[in-house]
Amino acid sequence: MEKPPRLLSHPLLLKNRVYEVTLNRAQLTWKKLQTKKKLVSRSIHNSRKHGSVCVPVSEILAVRETEVDGRTESGGRWQKTSQRPAEAYPYAFTVSHVLRVKRHRWRCRDVTFQCADAAVRQQWVQAVRDQLSALAGRPKHLLVYINPHGGRKQGKQIYEERVAPLFSRASVSTCVIVTEHANHARDHLKTDTDLKKYDGVVCVGGDGMFSEIVHGLIARTQRDAGVDQNRREEKLTPCAIRIGIIPAGSTDCICYATVGANDPVTSALHIIVGDSQPLDVCSVHQGGRFLRYSVSLLGYGFYGDVLMDSERKRWMGPVRYDFSGLKMFLTHNYYEGTVSFLPATDGSGTPRDKTTCRAGCSRCRCSGPLGSEDGQASGTGDDVSSGEHGGDWRTIRGRFLAINAASMSCACPRSPQGLSPAAHLADGTADLILVRTCSRANFLRHLLRHTSRDDQFDLSFVEAHRVRKFRFTPRCSESDGDPWPAPGGAGPAKGLFGQMCQDRPGCAPAYSSWNCDGEILPHASIDAGVHRQLIRLFARGIEQASPLEDIGSP
């Protein structure tokens, strides 16, 4: 492949050493100039070629003129230089670019070059700025929502101290709104915002805040396109504006699964360079009524019970999830019902194929229409065969401790592999995981495998299927007037008797609730379908680990 033509090439001073610095349309490169003595030594001892440093232009954040003594001419800031510069190079400019460190984290690195005269410096600054201006995917104007109460209540501080200075350095203008109540951001996006003024929407908070942004943008897009969200089979219109996540919540699962780290600086740099990662969205309906969207996890049974119990203990802070998890594990409730699903049969793989989704994933890169089975009739009866016949629905009945549908790996710091390590971000499928009744010891084995690299599905009581759509119907059908009937359909379980009934071994409650991305859905019977690449994030997927990460040094 022919190399891009050089735009500029000069000998410049860097840390009191002269480097040959070259700029083309793809990258900025600097290589140390060798003296005659070093060249002779190289020929005698046959030493290896001296390496050069290459920075992609797409990962340069900004360039600015600086004085040799360290004062920034444009911003008035002072920058300490490592050594006293040579008198022959009295003019300097600083390039800020992305530096990869351990565990998928990014940092902003400043490199200061010194020039022989002011004209050369001006030439370099202008050339780099011209290349940055030509990058069409970079945002210039952002709408930022900050949740001051999420996680450890540090969202505003994280943004002001760690993110806003980076946006300012990269000349990204922002309109900041601090939310005042639940669904503030969602309602504002639905009605009050002129989205044409912005290149992206950024949320500073946890997964709940991100869910607000998703619901507001999708609802706004469908309304503008004349699409009825209450119709299950309706084809939804993809959102044109990208979403950025600055993690400041309790788990930050979505950020971790799409970037590889829940680090505010890393996420801010992905936004600045203009990364774009499409993301599937799962819509949840009950009958002819739209309920919610999900981008990570739909969980019934164990995860639904944990969320329901933890909501009563919000005063405990993030530790409430551990407490409720232990409580629900000891309670060991199971739920009877029927799961029907439409398998993905067009080469989408399986949840156990170990093909993890990474940056540039070939499976997710396909943005064409879904396979023909997506248009199959959605109806299914109780007599549907459990075998797979092309686009036919499958039905499984039984008692389940947990029913989980993962649209992504659902990885987080506590579970680096996630609930479904091979789930893809944008292939139009979800991984349906069914955990049948088993002993507490076996269920604990299943839960512990979320924190290790062992095959989570290599257990006799666990099934995993890659699906386009699915539905769940509890054994005792839900009624509009009585959403929480007692076991056996005898009416609501009230008072002491109802509590005693639930505490007795073998007397399981009839219904759980659905955990939809950390929000409670008080409905047991649902229909869910995956919409391929409905939204886009300022992300690029998790990059493959570099050799530098393997040896543990940046």
Side-chain angles (χ1 to χ4, degrees):
M1 181 180 294
E2 185 179 353
K3 294 183 179 181
R6 293 183 179 183
L7 299 177
L8 282 177
S9 182
H10 290 98
L12 302 177
L13 195 69
L14 173 61
K15 295 182 179 179
N16 275 355
R17 295 182 180 179
V18 180
Y19 286 75
E20 182 67 28
V21 185
T22 303
L23 174 70
N24 58 38
R25 300 187 189 281
Q27 61 189 17
L28 173 68
T29 306
W30 59 93
K31 180 180 178 180
K32 188 188 300 182
L33 292 178
Q34 298 179 356
T35 63
K36 293 182 179 180
K37 181 178 179 181
K38 291 183 178 180
L39 290 175
V40 172
S41 175
R42 173 184 170 185
S43 62
I44 294 177
H45 298 287
N46 194 25
S47 62
R48 64 180 181 178
K49 183 179 179 181
H50 185 78
S52 60
V53 179
C54 299
V55 175
V57 170
S58 61
E59 294 182 4
I60 296 177
L61 308 177
V63 60
R64 62 190 186 277
E65 295 182 0
T66 54
E67 293 288 357
V68 171
D69 61 0
R71 186 172 64 86
T72 302
E73 286 189 354
S74 57
R77 299 176 183 173
W78 289 82
Q79 177 185 349
K80 185 178 179 181
T81 55
S82 58
Q83 300 180 32
R84 184 177 180 84
E87 295 181 357
Y89 296 86
Y91 302 95
F93 66 94
T94 298
V95 175
S96 302
H97 69 89
V98 169
L99 174 68
R100 287 168 174 78
V101 296
K102 293 186 294 185
R103 299 177 184 176
H104 304 288
R105 285 170 166 78
W106 286 9
R107 290 294 177 264
C108 177
R109 181 192 184 192
D110 289 340
V111 181
T112 299
F113 300 98
Q114 293 173 230
C115 311
D117 58 69
V120 172
R121 177 178 67 176
Q122 182 61 31
Q123 191 178 7
W124 272 95
V125 171
Q126 190 60 44
V128 174
R129 286 177 178 170
D130 289 344
Q131 296 308 303
L132 297 183
S133 299
L135 299 174
R138 293 205 171 188
K140 302 297 182 185
H141 309 283
L142 295 173
L143 176 61
V144 180
Y145 292 97
I146 300 177
N147 179 7
H149 305 293
R152 290 177 169 79
K153 301 182 179 181
Q154 295 180 343
K156 190 174 180 181
Q157 179 183 357
I158 288 174
Y159 177 79
E160 292 176 348
E161 295 181 0
R162 307 184 65 185
V163 177
L166 293 174
F167 285 167
S168 176
R169 179 178 300 185
S171 300
V172 178
S173 65
T174 57
C175 174
V176 179
I177 298 176
V178 179
T179 59
E180 300 174 355
H181 52 80
N183 295 320
H184 181 176
R186 183 199 67 182
D187 297 339
H188 187 262
L189 283 170
K190 273 181 166 182
T191 57
D192 302 332
T193 308
D194 182 8
L195 295 178
K196 295 180 181 179
K197 298 192 302 184
Y198 303 104
D199 303 312
V201 177
V202 176
C203 63
V204 183
D207 294 340
M209 186 64 178
F210 175 74
S211 181
E212 278 195 42
I213 301 297
V214 168
H215 280 79
L217 280 180
I218 295 179
R220 175 72 172 270
T221 303
Q222 307 319 309
R223 186 195 69 187
D224 294 345
V227 176
D228 185 2
Q229 297 180 92
N230 289 315
R231 298 179 58 184
R232 287 184 307 176
E233 303 302 322
E234 191 78 59
K235 182 178 180 182
L236 301 183
T237 302
C239 299
I241 193 168
R242 284 172 290 177
I243 305 173
I245 312 173
I246 303 297
S250 301
T251 57
D252 302 308
C253 166
I254 296 168
C255 187
Y256 195 93
T258 55
V259 175
N262 55 344
D263 175 60
V265 172
T266 302
S267 296
L269 295 178
H270 277 280
I271 294 171
I272 291 172
V273 302
D275 283 337
S276 182
Q277 169 65 52
L279 200 65
D280 294 337
V281 176
C282 188
S283 62
V284 184
H285 290 77
Q286 185 187 53
R289 182 163 57 107
F290 166 75
L291 298 178
R292 285 188 71 84
Y293 292 111
S294 169
V295 295
S296 59
L297 173 69
L298 273 170
Y300 185 81
F302 178 75
Y303 289 103
D305 292 348
V306 169
L307 180 63
M308 179 70 79
D309 188 75
S310 67
E311 284 299 299
R312 306 187 189 103
K313 302 176 177 62
R314 296 190 69 89
W315 54 271
M316 296 177 66
V319 75
R320 68 185 185 272
Y321 297 113
D322 298 325
F323 181 86
S324 296
L326 176 60
K327 178 181 176 181
M328 291 301 106
F329 170 76
L330 296 175
T331 304
H332 204 60
N333 286 332
Y334 66 83
Y335 302 92
E336 296 186 66
T338 301
V339 179
S340 302
F341 58 90
L342 181 66
T345 58
D346 58 348
S348 296
T350 69
R352 300 186 64 181
D353 59 15
K354 300 186 184 300
T355 56
T356 54
C357 186
R358 290 293 181 261
C361 176
S362 59
R363 183 175 296 169
C364 296
R365 198 161 50 236
C366 175
S367 59
L370 294 176
S372 59
E373 74 270 20
D374 187 59
Q376 298 285 338
S378 61
T380 181
D382 291 340
D383 59 342
V384 175
S385 170
S386 61
E388 183 174 352
H389 302 288
D392 293 338
W393 283 67
R394 296 183 60 187
T395 298
I396 297 175
R397 300 182 184 87
R399 296 175 175 180
F400 305 98
L401 290 171
I403 300 172
N404 301 320
S407 300
M408 59 176 62
S409 67
C410 298
C412 66
R414 290 191 176 187
S415 177
Q417 301 301 308
L419 294 182
S420 186
H424 287 257
L425 296 174
D427 66 342
T429 68
D431 287 353
L432 183 63
I433 306 165
L434 309 177
V435 183
R436 295 181 181 271
T437 53
C438 61
S439 66
R440 284 186 178 86
N442 277 333
F443 189 49
L444 180 60
R445 288 172 59 202
H446 171 65
L447 294 178
L448 289 178
R449 290 194 177 189
H450 293 159
T451 64
S452 68
R453 294 183 178 273
D454 295 336
D455 187 352
Q456 303 175 19
F457 311 129
D458 188 21
L459 297 167
S460 59
F461 53 90
V462 178
E463 298 180 42
H465 307 272
R466 186 151 288 169
V467 304
R468 302 280 185 200
K469 303 177 182 179
F470 78 94
R471 66 165 55 99
F472 174 72
T473 306
R475 181 182 177 186
C476 302
S477 297
E478 216 170 25
S479 63
D480 293 336
D482 181 20
W484 298 103
K494 296 181 179 179
L496 180 62
F497 176 79
Q499 183 63 39
M500 290 175 60
C501 180
Q502 292 191 23
D503 291 341
R504 285 181 55 194
C507 187
Y511 294 95
S512 177
S513 59
W514 284 92
N515 179 338
C516 180
D517 293 354
E519 298 293 330
I520 296 173
L521 279 182
H523 306 276
S525 179
I526 66 166
D527 288 86
V530 182
H531 300 271
R532 176 181 284 172
Q533 303 183 8
L534 191 61
I535 62 175
R536 290 185 300 150
L537 303 183
F538 284 108
R540 64 175 60 179
I542 300 176
E543 295 180 308
Q544 296 288 353
S546 67
L548 293 177
E549 290 187 30
D550 293 338
I551 64 176
S553 62

